[in-house]
Amino acid sequence: MTGAADGGRPGRPDRLAEIAGAADLAFRLLPAVPSDSRASGPPQPARRIRTDPDTVERDLVRLVLTLVELLRQLMERQALHRVDQGDLTEEQEERLGSTLMILHDRMAELCDDYGLTMEDLNLDLGPLGTLLPPAEGGD
């Protein structure tokens, strides 16, 4: 029988101790509270979503429109890539271009309906930057 001196599987206790040590080190290196808020005093609770019954519809529309705008921009980039590759016929290129222009115009109309601008849809993700890339050519 192959086993450790204590009757267990070989190497198992050492491996568990190694994993526990690595986890302990990781938790000490990555505090749960950002360092900038810890430096100014005791840990603060995580930021919570503020809900205001008066603006909940507008905020929800903003979130939905942000996702639609992100998808629209991704589709536009994919379409440009396909055009550059020569994957589309002229008729397909025209239909795709018209569809993307109509979608952009409809997005602008929806933003106007809810008192938003296209810039309002570009959510700030903190240290990651903004969700959407900057508009190119006065989009």
Side-chain angles (χ1 to χ4, degrees):
M1 178 176 185
T2 59
D6 63 356
R9 288 188 272 177
R12 183 170 167 86
D14 292 336
R15 184 71 177 140
L16 290 176
E18 181 183 338
I19 292 169
D24 180 55
L25 177 62
F27 283 118
R28 282 188 277 127
L29 291 174
L30 299 171
V33 178
S35 59
D36 57 336
S37 65
R38 284 186 11 185
S40 63
Q44 301 294 317
R47 285 189 268 171
R48 304 222 183 255
I49 296 174
R50 292 186 202 108
T51 57
D52 182 358
D54 297 332
T55 63
V56 70
E57 180 182 4
R58 182 177 183 269
D59 293 341
L60 181 59
V61 167
R62 179 180 177 208
L63 178 60
V64 170
L65 289 179
T66 297
L67 294 174
V68 172
E69 178 61 13
L70 177 63
L71 292 173
R72 186 196 69 78
Q73 288 186 16
L74 291 172
M75 289 184 336
E76 190 173 87
R77 283 183 175 74
Q78 181 66 28
L80 290 173
H81 177 72
R82 290 190 65 193
V83 168
D84 289 343
Q85 296 297 317
D87 291 347
L88 303 173
T89 66
E90 276 190 45
E91 180 184 326
Q92 290 172 323
E93 287 178 20
E94 288 296 321
R95 274 195 352 238
L96 189 57
S98 297
T99 302
L100 290 172
M101 286 182 354
I102 291 168
L103 180 56
H104 183 271
D105 291 344
R106 184 65 181 128
M107 285 292 297
E109 289 173 20
L110 286 168
C111 284
D112 285 343
D113 291 347
Y114 286 93
L116 298 167
T117 64
M118 294 301 277
E119 292 79 29
D120 291 334
L121 304 182
N122 199 0
L123 302 179
D124 183 5
L125 301 176
L128 298 176
T130 56
L131 177 65
L132 303 171
E136 297 175 11
D139 202 25

